[in-house]
Amino acid sequence: MKAAILESFGKPLTVTTAPEPAIGTGEVIVDVVAAPILSYANEVFSGARKYLLPPPVIPGCGAIGRVREVGPDATKLKQGDWVFCDPTVRSRDDALMPDIVLQGWSARGTGGQKLQEFHRDGGFAERIRVPTENAIPIGDIDAAEAGRWCAINTLLIAYGGLLALDLKAGETLLVSGATGNFGSATVLTALAMGARQVITPGRNEAVLAELSRRFASRIKPVVLTGNGTQDIAAIHAAAEAPIDAVLDFLPPSADASAARTAIMTVRPYGRVVLMGGVGMLGGDDLTLPYPWIMRNLITIKGQWMYDPRAVHTMVGMVRGGQLNLDHFAVTEFPIDDVNNAVSHAAVNNGPFKLTVVRH
């Protein structure tokens, strides 16, 4: 089969013939139709992000495709089913604290690296082997729409944070990092879930204006100055109600003070979920006042990826019309042009822009 291989960090991907994946019990082989290229893929492949992705490896985080072959323990999946290949693979021998690997992308901890030795190759290939539970049916689609369905790869991460927040219809949410790829996906998903209003602080006035154009009065953009006291006051002035929850998606390049400002806007008894990359590349820690957290009964939680059941309800929101994938502008590249696709994704990394490899 044809595949793009990362032979070593800092080198372009090599498109070549790779061995066919072999199926086993508890696994599914999927014919990949489209695979998303994350906006920061160039930073992963260069080694700048220092991801645990030992080359040589077929990279790629998630895919849309059709079932080619199922293992003997599959009871519902059948050949030809359209599925989302969920890259979030969990170990099966510890339900309480499962190890996690992002297949074709990264691993977490020693256990994750051990899991990665088997669930290693990602979606930049004609076929992929995934655990049975990671081949999740999405219903029949037009093959031409497979690239657009890759958007759920990003939306699911946002949705995972919103589920961790226990966001309820009618609540007011602040999205820290709303002008980025994951942050803007959070805005779209929160509105689909029935948020009363989404507060979108940021410094990129052009992107804030674009969010306002898309979602009108359901969002409240706030241009940040960098002065924490002034910015908190401006956010509270913009919100029509107390801010029930904050979801942070600021990237590794962001200063911790921006995340701190966002968190400090939440109401007493409010909830905060952290999913961004603040501090990953060095810089100040996120310091928050102990008395404020304690006396205001603030809940602060970290979240990585999403609960496996989230895929089913996310697909349900798309099928039910609450969440419209047409917000995403999709640019597709053939697998032979994968390196140009990676460069394109890095430059076109704004809200609702999606780069895809087609097979």
Side-chain angles (χ1 to χ4, degrees), residues 51-54 99-102 106-120:
Y51 273 19
L52 297 175
L53 181 66
D99 289 300
I100 298 177
V101 60
L102 294 184
S106 186
R108 186 181 71 180
T110 303
Q113 291 175 71
K114 182 177 181 180
L115 185 63
Q116 186 183 52
E117 291 175 7
F118 186 74
H119 295 294
R120 182 184 184 89

Side-chain angles (χ1 to χ4, degrees), residues 37-116:
I37 299 181
L38 302 189
S39 60
Y40 59 90
N42 61 326
E43 297 176 25
V44 175
F45 302 154
S46 71
R49 289 220 175 192
K50 303 186 186 305
Y51 273 19
L52 297 175
L53 181 66
V57 62
I58 300 171
C61 191
I64 299 291
R66 305 191 77 170
V67 172
R68 182 182 184 90
E69 187 178 359
V70 298
D73 57 343
T75 63
K76 293 183 172 64
L77 282 175
K78 61 184 184 301
Q79 187 179 32
D81 284 349
W82 282 97
V83 293
F84 167 62
C85 298
D86 184 355
T88 312
V89 179
R90 296 168 174 83
S91 59
R92 295 165 170 169
D93 53 354
D94 188 346
L96 182 63
M97 297 184 297
D99 289 300
I100 298 177
V101 60
L102 294 184
Q103 185 174 355
W105 206 245
S106 186
R108 186 181 71 180
T110 303
Q113 291 175 71
K114 182 177 181 180
L115 185 63
Q116 186 183 52

